[in-house]
Amino acid sequence: MGPGSMDEEASKPPASSSTDDGGGQIESRFAHLCKELALGQSMERQAMAAFKESKKFFLTNMSAMGNRPAEEMERYWSAFVLYCVTRLGMGEVKEEKEGGTITLCQILSAAKLNVVVFFKEVSQLSLKAGRILSGLYGSDWEKRLELKELQENVAQLMDLSRFYSKAYKEFFLLKNISNAQQTEDSRSAQYVSDCHRFGWLLFLALRIHSVGHFNLVTCTNGLVSILAILILHIPKHFRNFAIQDSVSFAKRSNKGVNLLASFCDKYHTSEDELKRMMEKTNKLITDILKKKSCPASECKTENLDHINTDGLTYFEDLLEGKSLQSSMLILEKDYDDAVNNKCDLDERMFVNDEGSLLGTESLSGGAMGSCSIRWKFDGFASPARTMTSLSTPPHSPTSPLSVTCINSSKLAPVTPVSTAMTTAKWLRDVISPLPPKPSAELERFLSSCHRDVTNEIIRRANVILEAVFSSNSFGERCISGSIQSIDVIDRTWAQERKMEALKLYYRILEAICRAESQLLKTNNLSSLLSNERFHRCMLACSSELVLATHRTVIMMFPAVLEVTGLTAFDLSKVIETFVRHEETLPRELKRHLNSLEERLLESMAWEKGSSLYNSLIIARPALAAEINRLGLLAEPMPSLDAIAVQHNIPNGGLPPQSSQKFDALPDQNGDARSPKRICIEHSSFTSPVKERLLTFNCLRSKLPPLQSTFASPSQPSPTGEGETCAETGIKVFFSKILKLAAIRIRSLSERLQLSQQISECVYCVIQQILYQRTALLFNRHIDQLILCSFYGVAKVLQLGLTFKNIVNNYRKQPQCKPQVFQSIFVNWPSANHNGEHVDIITFYNEIFIPTVKPLLMELAPAGDVTEDKNNANGPGSPKLSSFPNLPDMSPKKVSAAHNVYVSPLRQSKRDELISPSSRSYYACIGESTHAYRSPSSDLAAINNRLNCGSFRRINSRLNFDIVSDSMVGGSLGYPNGTLASSAAPATPNLPMKREQPDP
């Protein structure tokens, strides 16, 4: 099994396609596309040059770029190259076309492509073209292109348009115009359709002129205000409801229905925010459409019957025939004038009937990758979660197993919009009422330190949060049709978000201080409260939760790390602590933090410039040479003063800091000194020995105390085992990685239908790589090592498993990204310092096998793995553990043919859900529904009763395929959305071979 051991089918070059015609016809088609767009000579020359340089690379890699036809992929490649040139081109090239730059919509329309598929393929296109574009436009081309922001904006606009269309159809009779038989029906259908488009155009005008900042919560408030205006003005006979009887309007008094309060209850919006948005919308109608307003209480129209008109505004002829058409033309022109080809997407297309640019595909699920906040993992699956949340207890494997019937029709659908509004309501109801300063209890802890750190805490919070929510962070952007500039941005919005983050930070900090004080039996927490990096991590977590709740397009993770001067490894230290100390944290935000933690563990903490390497050179001195050779060490954390100057933040009138200024030494942040800076250690970690021992005697969690986590890496650990804090921190970090690896190994093993023995072999190899070949992870992704380990184990044990089969099944994993197996960092000893990226086959043969072959050969071919694996430990490596006991995935799939699941039913819910009258319809394992019956008889009896018609039948047949496995797993909180399937066949004893599945 040497370097030549690879899959012949996976390594041979792709077959030539009909597209490979020597290049002449491809270039001709691209030139025709340029002519059709009227680029101009200079831009066309640059576009042709870029296309010619990338053409050969495209033809070589076309087979690895997706399953679409070659001709279609050629058009996507052409559109992508053309878009990059028009955005990144030099000087006069950008401004050559009259009327502004070429937009993405124009490019896709000319190439006869749709937006959704373009963004589904854009990650592959970026990956393949990255080397060429870096050579043409510099290594920062992707950041300048802002594709991730544009991608997220498209996803949010689709979410908003779905929300708006669904709500509109709920309230109004939106008929199909083409199916309208009579002339009157046709006119009515056209009118309702026009009102639908009018509402969206009014929303776009609201975004451009009044909202300023694009985020999901604010835009949803805008759409809700427009729905209220439409209900007031669309004639009553077009309604789908009777307002006096509708359950959608629950807030009412003797004056009638309170429209805004009812909408706030229905859509979880703030009544104050909705009123402000209504005022902005009414002003827009007055200023742009030139409509005369009057108080609704003074108007007599049947539209306002049974509505409390206090505080509402009415426009007499807003949606009358000719007035409606005139208003739509005005709004169309206003949008054209405001955008003027400055932005890439025409947002009007999201309510177009033809849908040519949007197509029928969806950007849901994993298509958006890390750009959208769609959580795949519950906190239950988090590698760091060692304590059970009180608010959302996970299903326990030991709880009684029951077969439950769920009436999904009664469950409100969970959408990105509803999730954002629910979490925003939590911030509004729980966090916003808190004071914007340390509470009396927190101040007592701050003043009980060796010196009073209250002013330091307040100043740091002000500087960091002002930097995160400043105009510099939300500077002038032009993304997807909305021009967001410093002059237009809603500063009130930024200030409100800053206050939410500040109050959340103080709340969590107080909870942590209270817990530490009880643990240590003292109020003096100097070692923790004087640590700069700890506070920045807490502020970063608070800011990220606020930004994630509102789904702001511009400040997407990891932007908060860049602003605060932190690295991914820093943030990974506090996520579990943050979640543990806020019991009311919504499940969606826990999922978000858990998904971030997985991103940090799998790859981000291993990137160049991570503070992980500053700890590794102390915990593992043997790695220092390789870390220094690759230039991986983190730079010193910027001081608060530097951040304040960068973002033009004043001191805020706070008193000057003492001579022991906490940010005077940037290296006093809990990381090792960079070899570039040698100085005497002045650590603020001064806990007495008694405090350290008390900490570890009393702490019930497996994690070390926060003082140890954030102390200087060279500081002795309070464990009393002779370790440094760096060694303790690395041990905890590695344990989290191994748990994440175990979850992913088991999931992929189930897809490949491999036995538990094979999973244990792969897990054993990953353990040894982590502890003995740690350098393999430098600048890489944990999944890259997992995939290679699967194939290496398969070769040693002579299994019929190909790399192609492994990769094809990995593609189905929810965390899959093409760059994991298509772009792996290598740094050849003779190559330049920056290294290069290769595919996984090359990495396996040239890097992985020469490094890991001795570990793989220790696996006994007869499956006797456990006997030798513990003898392979290198010096200082811990004893290798067996495959961890992961919680049984629930719900568990019990049918390979249908989406049928069983799930443990918590005892606390059993009596509540199963009343005596309905108990006989449920089967609880170990409990008979009738006396003297066996479980099999019970199940048969239940099936007979369900089929015999002895009860009122709702549907004659249940459709178990309306949801996918990943949807069930993700919604009920299991890792990767993956469900343990008892229907999967077990693998026989080794050795074995398997036929390849169809590609």
Side-chain angles (χ1 to χ4, degrees):
M1 186 187 59
S5 300
M6 70 174 84
D7 290 328
E8 183 179 347
E9 61 182 331
S11 60
K12 55 179 156 181
S16 299
S17 68
S18 58
T19 309
D20 190 356
D21 53 12
Q25 292 185 26
I26 294 179
E27 290 181 18
S28 175
R29 287 191 289 268
F30 184 79
H32 177 75
L33 180 61
C34 294
K35 295 290 185 185
E36 186 175 345
L37 289 167
L39 294 184
Q41 293 183 357
S42 179
M43 185 183 292
E44 187 173 335
R45 281 197 304 269
Q46 188 168 340
M48 287 301 301
F51 187 78
K52 287 179 181 179
E53 188 169 347
S54 66
K55 178 188 61 178
K56 183 178 179 181
F57 190 77
F58 163 70
L59 293 174
T60 304
N61 292 273
M62 185 170 54
S63 63
M65 293 178 62
N67 299 321
R68 303 186 187 278
E71 181 271 336
E72 186 178 354
M73 286 309 303
E74 178 197 325
R75 287 187 284 129
Y76 279 110
W77 182 269
S78 299
F80 178 74
V81 170
L82 192 52
Y83 175 69
C84 292
V85 170
T86 58
R87 285 294 164 273
L88 304 173
M90 303 301 294
E92 71 280 357
V93 175
K94 287 185 176 182
E95 306 298 332
E96 186 174 312
K97 186 178 184 294
E98 295 182 4
T101 58
I102 298 292
T103 68
L104 179 61
C105 266
Q106 292 171 332
I107 294 173
L108 295 180
S109 179
K112 297 179 176 59
L113 301 172
N114 75 67
V115 174
V116 174
V117 178
F118 177 80
F119 281 110
K120 281 190 173 184
E121 301 293 343
V122 78
S123 60
Q124 295 258 40
L125 299 171
S126 299
L127 185 63
K128 295 301 181 183
R131 191 179 308 170
I132 295 169
L133 294 173
S134 295
L136 291 173
Y137 303 114
S139 59
D140 64 339
W141 68 270
E142 197 167 7
K143 184 176 181 180
R144 289 159 49 206
L145 200 61
E146 295 182 337
L147 266 177
K148 290 183 179 179
E149 290 86 350
L150 181 58
Q151 199 172 5
E152 171 65 9
N153 215 359
V154 171
Q156 290 197 21
L157 284 165
M158 293 184 72
D159 293 336
L160 289 167
S161 65
R162 290 191 190 103
F163 166 79
Y164 170 64
S165 295
K166 180 181 178 182
Y168 188 87
K169 291 176 183 178
E170 178 184 351
F171 291 125
F172 303 107
L173 300 167
L174 188 59
K175 299 178 181 178
N176 190 332
I177 299 174
S178 60
N179 293 336
Q181 299 296 324
Q182 301 177 4
T183 304
E184 185 63 29
D185 286 343
S186 178
R187 283 199 296 266
S188 298
Q190 182 64 57
Y191 173 81
V192 177
S193 178
D194 287 345
C195 289
H196 176 251
R197 182 170 179 80
F198 168 82
W200 186 256
L201 291 173
L202 190 60
F203 163 69
L204 297 182
L206 185 67
R207 281 189 57 198
I208 293 172
H209 297 288
S210 300
V211 173
H213 175 66
F214 183 84
N215 68 86
L216 197 62
V217 173
T218 304
C219 289
T220 302
N221 287 333
L223 283 173
V224 172
S225 73
I226 288 168
L227 286 170
I229 289 175
L230 294 177
I231 284 178
L232 294 176
H233 293 85
I234 293 180
K236 187 176 179 179
H237 60 272
F238 288 111
R239 292 176 180 173
N240 265 335
F241 62 91
I243 198 165
Q244 66 271 26
D245 301 324
S246 176
V247 294
S248 295
F249 304 96
K251 302 296 182 180
R252 61 187 71 211
S253 66
N254 55 0
K255 291 185 177 181
V257 168
N258 188 327
L259 187 60
L260 298 189
S262 297
F263 272 5
C264 290
D265 181 66
K266 182 178 179 65
Y267 299 115
H268 300 299
T269 62
S270 162
E271 191 164 353
D272 290 337
E273 293 176 7
L274 186 55
K275 286 179 179 178
R276 288 199 298 266
M277 197 62 71
M278 284 286 288
E279 292 174 0
K280 291 180 179 181
T281 308
N282 290 332
K283 186 175 186 302
L284 201 68
I285 294 173
T286 302
D287 294 345
I288 296 181
L289 300 182
K290 308 301 180 184
K291 299 298 181 181
K292 185 178 180 180
S293 64
C294 64
S297 57
E298 299 176 4
C299 299
K300 302 298 181 182
T301 172
E302 64 175 0
N303 274 22
L304 302 179
D305 290 348
H306 306 291
I307 295 178
N308 183 352
T309 56
D310 292 349
L312 297 179
T313 301
Y314 189 79
F315 299 90
E316 283 293 341
D317 62 343
L318 180 63
L319 296 181
E320 293 182 1
K322 293 182 179 179
S323 176
L324 173 61
Q325 298 301 320
S326 173
S327 296
M328 290 175 65
L329 291 175
I330 292 172
L331 291 174
E332 296 269 10
K333 184 178 186 303
D334 177 77
Y335 184 84
D336 287 331
D337 293 341
V339 174
N340 192 26
N341 284 341
K342 294 177 182 177
C343 297
D344 290 306
L345 295 178
D346 187 338
E347 297 165 314
R348 293 170 293 189
M349 70 181 174
F350 290 93
V351 292
N352 280 350
D353 293 333
E354 65 275 8
S356 57
L357 276 176
L358 283 179
T360 57
E361 298 192 39
S362 172
L363 275 176
S364 61
M368 296 302 293
S370 62
C371 299
S372 64
I373 302 182
R374 291 180 171 89
W375 302 285
K376 305 184 186 78
F377 306 98
D378 196 1
F380 172 69
S382 171
R385 184 161 182 172
T386 58
M387 295 186 67
T388 302
S389 168
L390 297 178
S391 58
T392 56
H395 298 286
S396 170
T398 60
S399 57
L401 182 65
S402 302
V403 180
T404 61
C405 298
I406 301 175
N407 187 354
S408 59
S409 63
K410 295 182 179 179
L411 302 177
V414 178
T415 66
V417 171
S418 66
T419 297
M421 300 308 290
T422 301
T423 51
K425 186 177 187 298
W426 173 79
L427 283 175
R428 187 169 61 249
D429 294 346
V430 178
I431 304 302
S432 292
L434 300 175
K437 61 180 181 179
S439 66
E441 184 178 4
L442 180 55
E443 282 189 345
R444 185 170 67 252
F445 288 118
L446 300 179
S447 60
S448 299
C449 297
H450 295 322
R451 56 188 174 84
D452 191 339
V453 296
T454 304
N455 286 339
E456 296 176 1
I457 295 289
I458 294 174
R459 176 176 181 263
R460 181 191 297 110
N462 179 69
V463 170
I464 294 297
L465 295 180
E466 188 66 31
V468 173
F469 296 99
S470 68
S471 296
N472 287 349
S473 298
F474 298 94
E476 184 171 343
R477 300 292 180 99
C478 180
I479 301 174
S480 180
S482 177
I483 305 170
Q484 301 176 11
S485 67
I486 298 175
D487 297 329
V488 178
I489 186 171
D490 192 340
R491 297 182 186 277
T492 302
W493 180 90
Q495 186 65 22
E496 288 173 349
R497 303 294 77 77
K498 176 188 171 183
M499 284 295 103
E500 288 174 345
L502 180 67
K503 294 172 182 179
L504 180 58
Y505 162 68
Y506 285 144
R507 177 183 173 97
I508 304 292
L509 183 61
E510 179 182 331
I512 290 174
C513 290
R514 190 183 306 116
E516 291 289 300
S517 174
Q518 294 172 358
L519 192 66
L520 303 174
K521 310 300 182 185
T522 179
N523 286 341
N524 188 345
L525 305 175
S526 298
S527 54
L528 180 65
L529 295 178
S530 299
N531 190 286
E532 173 74 7
R533 192 166 293 254
F534 163 71
H535 288 290
R536 290 204 194 181
C537 288
M538 295 294 294
L539 289 164
C541 265
S542 300
S543 302
E544 176 58 29
L545 286 186
V546 172
L547 292 168
T549 291
H550 291 268
R551 281 188 63 182
T552 173
V553 172
I554 297 173
M555 283 289 290
M556 293 192 303
F557 190 82
V560 69
L561 296 182
E562 300 170 6
V563 175
T564 55
L566 298 170
T567 72
F569 181 63
D570 299 326
L571 196 64
S572 70
K573 298 177 183 179
V574 301
I575 288 179
E576 181 182 6
T577 298
F578 199 96
V579 172
R580 182 191 304 175
H581 288 91
E582 181 47 65
E583 296 179 358
T584 68
L585 196 67
R587 185 175 183 176
E588 290 79 9
L589 292 184
K590 289 181 181 179
R591 285 177 173 175
H592 177 64
L593 286 179
N594 290 331
S595 66
L596 288 187
E597 185 179 37
E598 290 181 357
R599 289 174 59 188
L600 303 178
L601 293 173
E602 68 186 13
S603 63
M604 292 183 67
W606 297 98
E607 292 175 357
K608 180 178 180 180
S610 171
S611 56
L612 167 66
Y613 298 110
N614 298 55
S615 293
L616 274 176
I617 61 174
I618 293 177
R620 304 291 177 87
L623 296 173
E626 182 68 4
I627 290 172
N628 288 324
R629 183 181 78 85
L630 297 175
L632 300 176
L633 285 171
E635 292 294 329
M637 187 170 66
S639 68
L640 277 182
D641 289 337
I643 294 176
V645 170
Q646 180 183 356
H647 293 272
N648 301 316
I649 301 170
N651 192 30
L654 293 175
Q657 303 300 308
S658 65
S659 58
Q660 298 178 356
K661 192 173 181 180
F662 58 89
D663 62 324
L665 294 174
D667 285 326
Q668 275 191 1
N669 52 31
D671 272 347
R673 308 282 181 186
S674 169
K676 304 171 186 175
R677 302 181 56 164
I678 306 298
C679 58
I680 299 175
E681 188 81 38
H682 295 286
S683 175
S684 60
F685 184 81
T686 56
S687 302
V689 175
K690 182 178 179 182
E691 180 179 327
R692 299 175 191 170
L693 294 177
L694 187 60
T695 297
F696 268 81
N697 288 335
C698 299
L699 193 63
R700 294 184 179 181
S701 173
K702 297 180 181 179
L703 297 180
L706 286 174
Q707 292 94 326
S708 172
T709 302
F710 284 94
S712 173
S714 58
Q715 184 82 21
S717 174
T719 59
E721 299 176 359
E723 292 181 331
T724 62
C725 288
E727 291 173 297
T728 304
I730 293 299
K731 185 185 298 183
V732 172
F733 181 71
F734 280 11
S735 69
K736 294 179 182 181
I737 290 179
L738 285 175
K739 183 178 179 183
L740 176 63
I743 291 171
R744 294 186 175 180
I745 288 169
R746 184 171 76 171
S747 177
L748 188 54
S749 292
E750 289 176 353
R751 288 193 184 277
L752 294 166
Q753 299 185 359
L754 300 177
S755 70
Q756 177 70 15
Q757 285 179 298
I758 304 300
S759 298
E760 290 180 359
C761 289
V762 176
Y763 180 75
C764 173
V765 172
I766 290 295
Q767 277 192 95
Q768 294 184 81
I769 289 174
L770 186 61
Y771 288 112
Q772 300 177 37
R773 305 291 191 270
T774 313
L776 270 180
L777 281 155
F778 293 176
N779 259 333
R780 297 191 181 111
H781 195 293
I782 184 66
D783 286 1
Q784 294 166 344
L785 282 303
I786 290 175
L787 294 177
C788 289
S789 297
F790 265 104
Y791 186 64
V793 168
K795 296 296 286 186
V796 169
L797 301 180
Q798 302 177 12
L799 308 180
L801 187 62
T802 65
F803 230 134
K804 182 178 180 181
N805 193 3
I806 294 170
V807 170
N808 283 344
N809 280 277
Y810 175 74
R811 288 177 186 269
K812 302 172 185 177
Q813 295 290 93
Q815 82 275 7
C816 172
K817 297 177 183 176
Q819 54 265 39
V820 168
F821 49 86
Q822 292 181 358
S823 180
I824 306 177
F825 173 81
V826 295
N827 191 288
W828 313 109
S830 59
N832 59 51
H833 186 68
N834 293 328
E836 61 175 306
H837 290 79
V838 299
D839 60 56
I840 198 166
I841 298 293
T842 304
F843 170 74
Y844 176 86
N845 286 307
E846 304 297 333
I847 303 295
F848 184 83
I849 282 301
T851 306
V852 182
K853 184 176 180 180
L855 306 179
L856 289 171
M857 296 308 296
E858 292 168 2
L859 301 176
D864 189 8
V865 179
T866 56
E867 179 180 349
D868 296 331
K869 68 181 180 182
N870 290 330
N871 297 327
N873 299 339
S877 297
K879 184 178 180 179
L880 296 181
S881 60
S882 58
F883 197 86
N885 258 340
L886 298 176
D888 191 21
M889 296 303 140
S890 173
K892 176 177 289 186
K893 189 171 185 180
V894 294
S895 170
H898 301 288
N899 291 332
V900 183
Y901 308 89
V902 294
S903 175
L905 181 64
R906 294 195 301 275
Q907 185 64 42
S908 61
K909 294 291 185 182
R910 183 185 255 186
D911 294 334
E912 176 184 343
L913 293 177
I914 306 179
S915 62
S917 61
S918 61
R919 185 178 297 273
S920 61
Y921 292 113
Y922 293 82
C924 300
I925 303 302
E927 176 185 350
S928 180
T929 56
H930 290 78
Y932 312 113
R933 278 193 175 177
S934 65
S936 61
S937 299
D938 286 338
L939 293 173
I942 291 171
N943 287 333
N944 289 335
R945 299 185 77 183
L946 291 174
N947 295 323
C948 70
S950 60
F951 61 96
R952 185 172 59 91
R953 176 169 292 183
I954 305 301
N955 289 314
S956 60
R957 182 175 181 179
L958 298 177
N959 182 5
F960 291 106
D961 299 315
I962 59 174
V963 294
S964 65
D965 293 358
S966 60
M967 181 185 299
V968 173
S971 65
L972 294 180
Y974 290 93
N976 309 350
T978 305
L979 303 168
S981 175
S982 62
T987 306
N989 293 332
L990 303 178
M992 66 176 200
K993 292 185 179 181
R994 293 198 170 276
E995 296 181 0
Q996 289 188 59
D998 294 335

